[in-house]
Each structure stands twice: as C-alpha cells, then as structure tokens.
Amino acid sequence: MRLEDKLYLIGFKVDEVGGSHLAIKDKSTCLVCEMKQCLYVCPCGVYEIDEIKNEISINYDACVECGTCRVSCDDIDWRYPRGGFGVSYKFG
Amino acid sequence: MSDIKYDVAIVGAGPAGLSAAIVLAKAGVNVIVIERGRFPGAKNVMGGVFYTDCMKGIVEKFPNGAPVERHIVEQRMWMIDDESYVGFGHKNAKFDKEPYNCHTVFRAQFDKWLAKQATDAGALIVNQTVVTEPIMKDGKVVGIKTGRPEGDIKANCVIVADGVNSLMAKSLGFRTKLKKESVALAVKEIIGLDEKVINDRFNVTGGQGVTIEMTGSLFKGAEAMAFLYTNKKSVSLGVGMIIEDMIEHKINPNELIESLKKHPAISPLIAGGETKEYLAHMIPEGGYNDMPQLVGDGIMIAGDAATMVNAVHREGSNLAITSGKLAAQTYLEAAEEGDFSSASLSSYVDKLQESFVMSDLKKYKALPKLLQKNRQLLDKYPKLMNDAAFELLTVDGVSKQEKQKHIWKNMKQQIGFTNMLKDLYKIWRSVG
C-alpha cells in the first residue's frame, strides 16, 4: 500500500494560517549532512529534497507529530501544531 | 482564564493526566486539564493492550461501559526471521473470566471515554489548547502558559502528563533530550476484517482476543519488535524499531510495516483486510535510567513524559494510570499542609518506589543498555533458533546427530560458545 493512500486515511486539520510547526534551524547544515535521515525515518514522508532550491522541504500537513525527526536530528525545530490543529486519529 | 486560580492544572489528557484528574475531582479538588487535540485521545496512540488492574480506585466496575475491544485469552511470542518464526504461546481459560486481565482498546475512543469520567467527576477539560511553558515565580511553578490569548492558568500544583515528547519536561530542564538509542518509533495499521473471519483465524469466540508479539530481524537485517492484536472487527498490526537503528540501517517505517504485512506468517492473518488508519508514535524505552527529575516545587511528572514504560512487558498505559493516581494522592496529602514544595511533593517518588511502577522499571533498568550494546540478543538468536528448528524438522536423510552437530557448529561460528554463556548470564542478570 502506498504511503500517499495511507495518509489519506488520517484525519488532519491543517493550520493554513499559522503555517508549519516544523522548521530547519540552519539549512546550511543539511547541505553537509551525509545521512539525511530525515528523508527516510519520518513515517509520513514529511521531509523531501527540493531539487530546484537544493534544500529540504517540509510537508508539515502530513505530520502526525510523532517526534522521530526531532530525536533523529538536532537541526530540526520541533513544536506542537497550534491547539486543535494537526493530526486527529479516529482509532488511535 | 487568567482570573481563576485552580488547585491543580494538568498538562495532557492521556491516561496519566486523566487518572490524576479523576482522583482529584472525586476528592472535590478544583482541577483543569489542558489538551492540545480536538478531543482527548485525538493524538494518542498505543499498540492496543490495556490492563484492567490499574483502574482500581479510578473507575468502578471497569470495563462496564468502557469502549474496549476484545479481552485477551491467548498471548503468543514469536522469534521471527525473514520467512519463518519459532513461537511460544499461552492460552488460559482463566483469562476468559471477569475481571479480564486485559483488553485491546483504541486510544482515540478510550481516552475520550476516560475524559468523560473525569468531567463527570467534576474536572474541567479544555481541548484544542497547547501548553507552552510553566509559569515560574521565585523558582517555583505556579501555573502554565497556554497558546491562547490571556491563556495563563494559575494553580497550586501542575501535573505534567504531556507524553513522550514532553516539551514541558524539557522547558523545566527536568530532562535532557530524548536519546535516539533509547527511543523507538512504532508504526501501526488498523486493518479491518470481518468479526467471524477474526474468530476463525485466531481460534477464538465471542469477545475473546489474541495477541502476538514478535522480535527479530524482518527487514534489512535490523532488529525490530512487532505485534498483532485482535480487535472486534479489525486487527492492529504494528512494528517498532529503535530510532538509532532506523537511521543506521536506512529504514523507512512505512517500508518496514509493508514488509511485515508480506511476511508469510502474517500475510494470511490479514488477508482480505482493509487498512482503516495508519499511525505512528514514539515509545520511550530507556526505562529507569532515562527517567527525568519527577518532582519540583509545585510540579510532578507522570506517564510517558516520565519514561514510565516497561518495554519488556509492553506495559505503559497502566504505569501512566498508576502514576497519575499516585500524583493525585500526593497532591491531596500536600494540600492538607498547604505545602506544595519539592520536599513535600517528593512523597510522589516514594509512592512510585513502593508501587510496581518503579519496582518493575528498576528490575529491567540494565536491559535497555544491554540490548543497545548486544544487538545479537534480539537479532542473531532469533535467526539461529529459526535455522535450528528448520534443520531439525526437515527430514532429508541426514541423521539427527549430524544435524545437532551442525546446529552447534553454526551457533559457535555465529556467536561462540563463551559468548553464548556470557549472553545468557547478562540476560539472567538483567531480567532475573
């Protein structure tokens, strides 16, 4: 089953106004990062390489707030989404 | 919110926060619970097994009226390899008698129900609100700041129960950062199946259920822990891995669970099922040695936020419920003296020490480090067991004596006899 189809099953309320609750503290760090683990450890594929800008892009609207990226990389500024936004599981 | 002063403010409406809220509200304490999700449970995930015993003193006649799925009558443990497993199981009619030992639950539904018990008892729960930091005065915690305008909440005491990521414990300086070598990520799918199909496939009837715990390397040679739990009309299939291992072995969690779904022992059990939800959650597996400071002036920490997880026995929510209850009892005692200082609240730690919570965490305190340093315990041994079982059970003209010799030779080559004895000794020291 494709990840895209799984993400479709999850309830999200995206904070269009507040924007991303995730950020990269220093993007120049990514350029010299060899593992680039954010690209594969995230269960929801939030982090992707933006080939044009040559940087990591963040699809925060697919984030389930697990915290794996935060534990994996010190360069990620990790916050909770604003109250009521983000993932909302049906089963849990 | 700023005008009212509460007796107790609780951060997080999970099992720890809600059990504290229920005990406090029942005792007539003015308690407020702040939850960032749209409803209590909206962001809460676990494998799915909830133990009954911890509900004593929280909810009478549990599980009456509670949204539980199946009571567990059989537990299977598998050492898993790429296309095989060696297993052990225990099914007992005693598990089929009330009060049941444990049930599978869905946390989004269970926590919502538990929150209802708290509000019925008189607690105030405010949803959709993020707690940003503690309010400090003269080095003491006197309340919490929220993301709402004028959202400061003053309280005599704050109970922090904001889960594994606990930004509160971090901002209080009570814990150093979470370590990638002692935190696991687990991903899970709820796979819908017909109730009768589940009953047939797992050899159960009525409300009975089965759990399967798996350990071994099932993807890219990295050691993983997996589980399959039966619900009424679905199974919860999940797999977890220490984050450091995921990084090292370049493992994507979705690929990991997809490979588990294709495993020949799993795939027939979920065949024809339809995935209803995909979930991810971290588990703090560092145990006793990773616990943060638990008490400060005007503050106590409970549940996952305090690393109260017994990974060996897949217990967490019962430790959370118990710690929340003990934190509440500590508050009630402290309130009699009107003293919420760290010294007064330190009886929370004493209570935890006297309970199974700290006793169990201490018992296994050496295990996380042992497994960190000795990955072969959960990786090579399951493989060797599977190879040995296959060889012994295959009839191919080779004598049993020859087979045994070969198995021993293989084991000695892979690990070495002395190392095997050392490993046995280490495990015995850690869990015995």
Side-chain angles (χ1 to χ4, degrees), chain B residues 33-82:
Chain B
V33 184
I34 306 297
E35 164 57 41
R36 67 189 185 89
R38 280 158 74 184
F39 58 88
K43 295 178 186 291
N44 304 353
V45 181
M46 70 177 189
V49 177
F50 184 82
Y51 292 90
T52 305
D53 184 70
C54 66
M55 292 302 263
K56 282 178 189 160
I58 310 279
V59 176
E60 301 310 317
K61 293 179 187 165
F62 180 82
N64 281 0
V68 293
E69 291 288 309
R70 288 174 185 254
H71 64 271
I72 301 307
V73 295
E74 181 181 355
Q75 309 203 19
R76 302 176 192 168
M77 277 145 270
W78 291 357
M79 281 184 285
I80 199 160
D81 199 20
D82 294 347

Side-chain angles (χ1 to χ4, degrees), chain A residues 6 40 43 65 70 89-90, chain B residues 42 165 189 247 254 258 277:
Chain A
K6 292 187 189 180
Y40 58 85
E65 303 148 42
R70 154 178 192 245
Y89 287 119
K90 186 180 167 195
Chain B
N165 278 299
E189 285 185 31
I247 297 173
N254 185 48
E258 283 302 311
E277 195 164 61

Side-chain angles (χ1 to χ4, degrees), chain A residues 1 3 6 9-10 35 37 40-43 64-68 70-72 74 78 80-92, chain B residues 36 38-39 42-45 106-109 128 130 165 177 180 185 188-189 243 246-247 250-254 258 275 277-280 282:
Chain A
M1 190 173 179
L3 180 62
K6 292 187 189 180
L9 300 170
I10 308 173
M35 292 299 278
Q37 62 267 30
Y40 58 85
V41 296
C42 172
V64 294
E65 303 148 42
C66 69
T68 306
R70 154 178 192 245
V71 175
S72 304
D74 291 335
W78 195 95
Y80 296 127
R82 286 196 299 153
F85 290 100
V87 69
S88 209
Y89 287 119
K90 186 180 167 195
F91 294 97
Chain B
R36 67 189 185 89
R38 280 158 74 184
F39 58 88
K43 295 178 186 291
N44 304 353
V45 181
F106 293 126
R107 285 285 302 278
Q109 295 161 16
Q128 307 196 33
V130 173
N165 278 299
K177 65 189 193 103
K180 48 181 174 275
L185 169 72
K188 177 174 88 161
E189 285 185 31
I243 290 175
M246 277 174 47
I247 297 173
K250 292 195 180 294
I251 285 173
N252 171 258
N254 185 48
E258 283 302 311
T275 299
E277 195 164 61
Y278 171 69
L279 314 93
M282 288 200 304

Side-chain angles (χ1 to χ4, degrees), chain B residues 284-300:
Chain B
E285 297 202 340
Y288 186 78
N289 290 330
D290 265 14
M291 288 180 96
Q293 181 185 332
L294 296 172
V295 166
D297 286 321
I299 193 152
M300 292 177 272

Side-chain angles (χ1 to χ4, degrees), chain B residues 69-71 96 195 198-199 203-209 231-232:
Chain B
E69 291 288 309
R70 288 174 185 254
H71 64 271
D96 202 26
E195 195 168 348
I198 295 174
N199 289 346
N203 190 25
V204 287
T205 54
Q208 300 172 338
N231 306 309
K232 275 180 193 151

Side-chain angles (χ1 to χ4, degrees), chain A residues 20-71:
Chain A
S20 178
H21 59 285
L22 305 168
I24 293 167
K25 290 177 198 165
D26 177 5
K27 287 190 175 178
S28 66
T29 309
C30 307
L31 294 172
V32 292
C33 174
E34 280 180 27
M35 292 299 278
K36 289 195 174 45
Q37 62 267 30
C38 62
L39 300 178
Y40 58 85
V41 296
C42 172
C44 298
V46 165
Y47 299 89
E48 283 178 332
I49 283 196
D50 184 330
E51 303 270 352
I52 299 161
K53 288 186 184 167
N54 192 29
E55 62 179 38
I56 307 278
S57 67
I58 301 176
N59 308 314
Y60 73 96
D61 53 352
C63 172
V64 294
E65 303 148 42
C66 69
T68 306
C69 57
R70 154 178 192 245
V71 175

